[in-house]
């Protein structure tokens, strides 16, 4: 299969979407990103990497980091996290407070902001440094030791993160945080504000394509745990547009408001596409279009 040509064709589909979305401006540090940017990378389970466009240009990973924090919690602490966070689609915006009240501080899934705060809290307890644990994992799997948190983005998120603070305090009021709210928020912003490229993320997501095995051959998760993360990615990874993403792309995927979408083709490859313009649900218009074009052209999906 000519992956390089397929990625070029996918990029053409993405370019056709320019102007159909809006760059995330509620985090001021992200508002100045070039809206026309686009990159895409594919990393096979054998270690080959292909890319087009701005595939080696770092961008703010934002919520894409949530899948890595969840994987590390499962690797360190088993499946006890599922007593504190659910596995169901929310049907509401990723930063909604609505369900927390009716569901007594148990977030609907680990990929909305409330759920990711609980996962970050657990990772902080297990490792002592949640943000650094995610950074070190991404550095190791991508082979990029320079990968790091962008302090300006982290500071911007903290300054304007009133809703995340409200979510964290509400969760804490129900006894579902073990650590201090401000510390949990600091680590949450620390891993969301990591800057990484499509190449970095495609390589780092390879453990899910390899059914839980890291790039060096060491097992991070059991095959069953990797399957379950992929399942929650498919149903919850693109916020309240997960059904549309499954319909169009047909792969487990996690998006972030920095414009990245990381998708997994179990047993074969992991892909990352990036385009800063977002749709109403917070997903990259260009990245979803590119992934749609790729799976349509190849017939490769989980269905």
């Amino acid at each position: 299969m000519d992956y390089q040509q397929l990625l070029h064709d996918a990029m053409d589909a993405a370019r056709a979407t320019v102007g159909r979305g809006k760059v995330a401006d509620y985090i001021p540090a992200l508002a100045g990103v070039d809206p026309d940017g686009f990159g895409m990378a594919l990393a096979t389970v054998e270690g080959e990497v292909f890319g087009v466009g701005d595939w080696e240009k770092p961008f703010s990973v934002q919520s894409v980091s949530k899948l890595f924090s969840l994987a590390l919690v499962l690797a360190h602490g088993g499946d006890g996290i599922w007593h504190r966070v659910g596995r169901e689609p929310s049907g509401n915006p990723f930063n909604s407070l609505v369900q927390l009240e009716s569901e007594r501080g148990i977030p609907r899934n680990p990929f909305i902001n409330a759920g990711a705060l609980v996962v970050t809290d657990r990772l902080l307890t297990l490792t002592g440094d949640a943000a650094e644990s995610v950074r070190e994992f991404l550095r190791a799997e991508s082979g990029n030791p320079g990968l790091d948190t962008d302090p300006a983005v982290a500071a911007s998120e903290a300054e304007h993160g009133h809703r995340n603070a409200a979510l964290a305090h509400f969760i804490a009021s129900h006894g579902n945080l073990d650590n201090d709210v401000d510390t949990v928020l600091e680590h949450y912003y620390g891993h969301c504000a990591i800057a990484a490229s499509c190449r970095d993320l495609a390589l780092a997501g390879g453990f899910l394509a390899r059914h839980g095995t890291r790039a060096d051959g060491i097992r991070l998760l059991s095959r069953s745990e990797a399957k379950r993360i992929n399942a929650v990615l498919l149903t919850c990874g693109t916020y309240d547009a997960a059904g549309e993403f499954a319909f169009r792309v047909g792969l487990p995927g996690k998006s972030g408001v920095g414009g990245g979408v990381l998708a997994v083709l179990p047993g074969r490859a992991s892909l990352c596409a990036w385009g800063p313009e977002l749709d109403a649900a917070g997903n990259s218009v260009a990245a979803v279009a590119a992934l749609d074009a790729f799976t349509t052209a190849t017939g490769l999906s989980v269905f």
Side-chain angles (χ1 to χ4, degrees), residues 141 206-221 226:
E141 296 304 290
F207 75 98
L208 289 175
R210 292 185 295 269
H211 307 295
T213 301
R214 296 184 63 161
D216 60 6
I218 294 174
R219 182 160 290 282
L220 177 73
L221 302 172

Side-chain angles (χ1 to χ4, degrees), residues 6-300:
L6 287 162
L7 292 182
H8 275 290
D9 294 343
M11 181 167 63
D12 290 341
R15 296 293 192 197
T17 69
V18 171
R20 297 183 189 174
K22 183 181 178 183
V23 173
D25 56 7
Y26 66 94
I27 301 173
L30 299 182
V33 177
D34 177 9
D36 296 338
F38 177 79
M40 189 172 184
L42 180 148
T44 70
V45 293
E46 293 83 16
E48 292 183 291
V49 187
F50 305 87
V52 293
D54 302 316
W55 70 295
E56 294 185 292
K57 179 179 180 178
F59 61 89
S60 189
V61 305
Q62 293 300 307
S63 289
V64 178
S65 71
K66 294 173 183 176
L67 81 86
F68 299 106
S69 59
L70 175 62
L72 290 171
V73 164
L74 291 173
H76 281 90
D79 60 4
I81 189 65
W82 299 122
H83 297 295
R84 299 177 55 189
V85 63
R87 300 185 291 268
E88 296 294 335
S90 69
N92 285 308
F94 58 83
N95 57 359
S96 173
L97 292 120
V98 173
Q99 287 166 335
L100 275 180
E101 183 164 12
S102 61
E103 297 177 1
R104 301 180 180 276
I106 304 294
R108 187 63 68 91
N109 68 69
F111 298 139
I112 54 175
N113 289 15
L117 287 165
V118 173
V119 172
T120 299
D121 174 66
R122 181 60 179 155
L123 186 58
L124 180 58
T125 297
L126 289 167
T127 67
D129 195 328
E132 182 64 14
S133 296
V134 176
R135 280 193 297 267
E136 285 302 317
F137 181 82
L138 291 175
R139 287 168 180 163
E141 296 304 290
S142 68
N144 178 6
L147 183 150
D148 209 347
T149 295
D150 184 329
V153 174
S156 185
E157 290 192 69
E159 183 179 355
H160 299 274
H162 305 299
R163 185 172 288 266
N164 286 325
L167 289 167
H169 281 290
F170 198 94
I171 294 165
S173 76
H174 283 276
N176 199 16
L177 286 186
D178 295 329
N179 296 282
D180 176 75
V181 165
D182 289 340
T183 304
V184 173
L185 288 168
E186 177 186 352
H187 284 264
Y188 175 71
Y189 297 138
H191 66 70
C192 286
I194 289 171
S197 67
C198 292
R199 175 193 177 280
D200 294 332
L201 290 178
L203 286 166
F207 75 98
L208 289 175
R210 292 185 295 269
H211 307 295
T213 301
R214 296 184 63 161
D216 60 6
I218 294 174
R219 182 160 290 282
L220 177 73
L221 302 172
S222 70
R223 191 180 182 100
S224 178
E225 287 169 332
K227 176 203 74 175
R228 289 171 175 170
I229 290 181
N230 279 328
V232 182
L233 284 171
L234 182 68
T235 57
C236 307
T238 46
Y239 312 125
D240 53 337
E244 179 70 9
F245 187 80
F247 180 82
R248 292 182 60 187
V249 177
L251 295 175
K254 184 72 199 84
S255 61
V257 297
V261 181
L262 176 59
V264 182
L265 186 57
R268 187 180 290 261
S270 49
L271 305 92
C272 182
W274 167 73
E277 292 187 329
L278 310 178
D279 62 19
N283 300 314
S284 169
V285 177
V288 173
L291 291 165
D292 180 0
F294 178 87
T295 55
T296 299
T298 61
L300 297 174

